[in-house]
Every structure is written in structure tokens, then in C-alpha cells.
């Protein structure tokens, strides 16, 4: 902010303030310099004084950022809200407001703020990514997908966004796209077990069970004993009629994750399939622990 010479900048500010003690730009700069120096109380004091003289949106934005840093989130929200009132067409300020709302757990209001930022600036990467994540959590797949498309148009190599877009494609039953995005995410970050598991799951949906097993094994090499990946692998084994191996995996999952309802349910179905009706019928009670089934 001061060309790497904060002491010189501070001296200039002090000189300006000695001439005009109410010069808001000098107070604002002193607030920024104090913040950079870790003097947060001084930063808040200088920024507040600058706002008293001239309540500019930029001053309020920086005050909100300092308040966020010191975890005074309610006050930060008020600062960003005031900033937006001064510059309602500023997409960056709406993103700041959205971030403050997120920190207070007000996700619905945050989503509205980020969506408004996108209306003002349709290529705003921060707004698009935050909107996408919030819509993703709500399983509003088409809207989330549109947001992730914006992000990836600007930066095609964002592996985390590719993983999220892959899941959105899965939600829309676009399994080829689910696979494509998962493979791209893996190419960008080969150490990401999630991308490997997603690729395997996509292949499983596409009826390519043997290929799916290979990807689940890649995921397990990175994340051993992961109950989700093991369960997916067992499903692939079942489709390949390798029933003993599938049953062994499900039993292992129940050992390492006793509350994993899907593994318990799938094992029950497998026992019914292989003629162990007593154990199979008993295990079917796990169905009620799985939200997708118990809601039906």
C-alpha cells in the first residue's frame, strides 16, 4: 500500500494530519498501516475516525475487514451493510456483505448477497464460487452448475470447483460429465482421493464396474479404510458377481465404521441374494437409518 515503505508512509500521514487533523484519507491510510503492522485496536480507531469525517464505502469496507479479523462479526456486518448503502452497485461490497453473513451462519441471506453481486458483475469469481457452494449444499444442482461454469470459464484448472461441478452433474444424472470433470480434477491433483472416488462412482453408474474398481483402489491407496470408498468398491464387486469379496468389504466397513448404515443395508441385501435369509432380513432394518430411504 505504501510501496513497501510503511514507516515513510506513516510519517507522511502524520505530517498531513499535523496540517489538517481531520484529513480522512490520512486517517484511513494510518488505519491500513496499523492493520498491516498487527496493531488492530489502532487500526479500528483510525478507520473509525476517518469514517466520522467522511463515511466512504472504501473506509467502511476496510473497517469491516478489520472487525472480521478480530472476530467482531456483528459489527463487521454493520460496516459492510453501510458500505453497500453508499455504493449499491459495487459487486465487491456485496461479496463482503455475503462473507460477513456467512460468518454469522446466515447462509440464506449470504446467498442472496452473492447472487446480487453476480447480477451486478456476472463474471465475479468470488460471487460465483460462493453462490455455487451454497446452492450445492441445497442440492439446487442446475443453479450450482451455472455458477461453477462461470468459475471454470475464468479459471479452467480449479480442481476443487471441478470436484463440486462433478457432484452437481451427478445430481442431474449427467454421468458422462460427472466422469469427465472427475478425471480432469484428478489430472490436476493426483493426490486427491475424492476425485478418484468420484471417477469410480461415475464409472459405476455408467456400467463400467471393472474400471470403477481400479479407481476406487486408487482412492483407497490415498485414503485407506475410508468407509465411503470401501462401500462403493463393494457395490462394484457385487455388480461383477464377486460376492464373497463384496461381503468381506462390507463386513470390514462395519468393523471400522459400525454406524455406516449403507454398508449394513447393502450387506443385508447381499445376504438375501446369497440365501442367508435370517441375517438378510434382520439387516434390512438399516434401511431406516438412510435418509433417502426412510423419507420414502
Amino acid at each position: 500500500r505504501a510501496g513497501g515503505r510503511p514507516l515513510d508512509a506513516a510519517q507522511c500521514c502524520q505530517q498531513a494530519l499535523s496540517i489538517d487533523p481531520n484529513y480522512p484519507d490520512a486517517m484511513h491510510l494510518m488505519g491500513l498501516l496499523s492493520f498491516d503492522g498487527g496493531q488492530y485496536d489502532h487500526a479500528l480507531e483510525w478507520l473509525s475516525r476517518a469514517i466520522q469525517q467522511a463515511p466512504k464505502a472504501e473506509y467502511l469496507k476496510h473497517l469491516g475487514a478489520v472487525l472480521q479479523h478480530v472476530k467482531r462479526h456483528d459489527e463487521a456486518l454493520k460496516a459492510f451493510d453501510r458500505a453497500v448503502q453508499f455504493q449499491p452497485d459495487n459487486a465487491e461490497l456485496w461479496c463482503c456483505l455475503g462473507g460477513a453473513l456467512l460468518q454469522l451462519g446466515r447462509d440464506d441471506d449470504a446467498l442472496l448477497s452473492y447472487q446480487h453481486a453476480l447480477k451486478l458483475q456476472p463474471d465475479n469469481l468470488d460471487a460465483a464460487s460462493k453462490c455455487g457452494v451454497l446452492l450445492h449444499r441445497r442440492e439446487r444442482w442446475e443453479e450450482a452448475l451455472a455458477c461453477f461454469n462461470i468459475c471454470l470459464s475464468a479459471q479452467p484448472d480449479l480442481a476443487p470447483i471441478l470436484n463440486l461441478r462433478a457432484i452437481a452433474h451427478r445430481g442431474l444424472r449427467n454421468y458422462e460429465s460427472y466422469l469427465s470433470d472427475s478425471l480432469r480434477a484428478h489430472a490436476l491433483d493426483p493426490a486427491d482421493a475424492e476425485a478418484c472416488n468420484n471417477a469410480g462412482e461415475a464409472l459405476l453408474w455408467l456400467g463400467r464396474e471393472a474400471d470403477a474398481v481400479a479407481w476406487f483402489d486408487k482412492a483407497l491407496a490415498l485414503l485407506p479404510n475410508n468407509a465411503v470408498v470401501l462401500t462403493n468398491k463393494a457395490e462394484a464387486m457385487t455388480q461383477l458377481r464377486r460376492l464373497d469379496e463384496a461381503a468381506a468389504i462390507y463386513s470390514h466397513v462395519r468393523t471400522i465404521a459400525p454406524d455406516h448404515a449403507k454398508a449394513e443395508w447393502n450387506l443385508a441385501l447381499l445376504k438375501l441374494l446369497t440365501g442367508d435369509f435370517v441375517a438378510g432380513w434382520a439387516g434390512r432394518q438399516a434401511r431406516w437409518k438412510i435418509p433417502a430411504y426412510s423419507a420414502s
Side-chain angles (χ1 to χ4, degrees), residues 87-108:
Q87 289 187 7
D89 295 332
N90 187 316
E92 182 188 357
L93 293 179
W94 281 97
C95 287
C96 291
L97 183 63
L101 289 162
L102 275 182
Q103 288 178 319
L104 289 168
R106 294 171 56 181
D107 289 12
D108 290 340

Side-chain angles (χ1 to χ4, degrees), residues 170-214:
R170 182 186 67 185
L172 294 168
R173 301 180 185 273
N174 300 331
Y175 298 124
E176 290 286 358
S177 297
Y178 181 25
L179 176 60
S180 175
D181 276 355
S182 299
L183 293 177
R184 282 184 60 197
H186 170 71
L188 290 166
D189 186 3
D192 182 10
E194 180 185 3
C196 297
N197 178 65
N198 289 347
E201 193 176 57
L203 288 162
L204 191 55
W205 278 107
L206 292 167
R208 295 167 56 184
E209 292 86 1
D211 293 333
V213 169

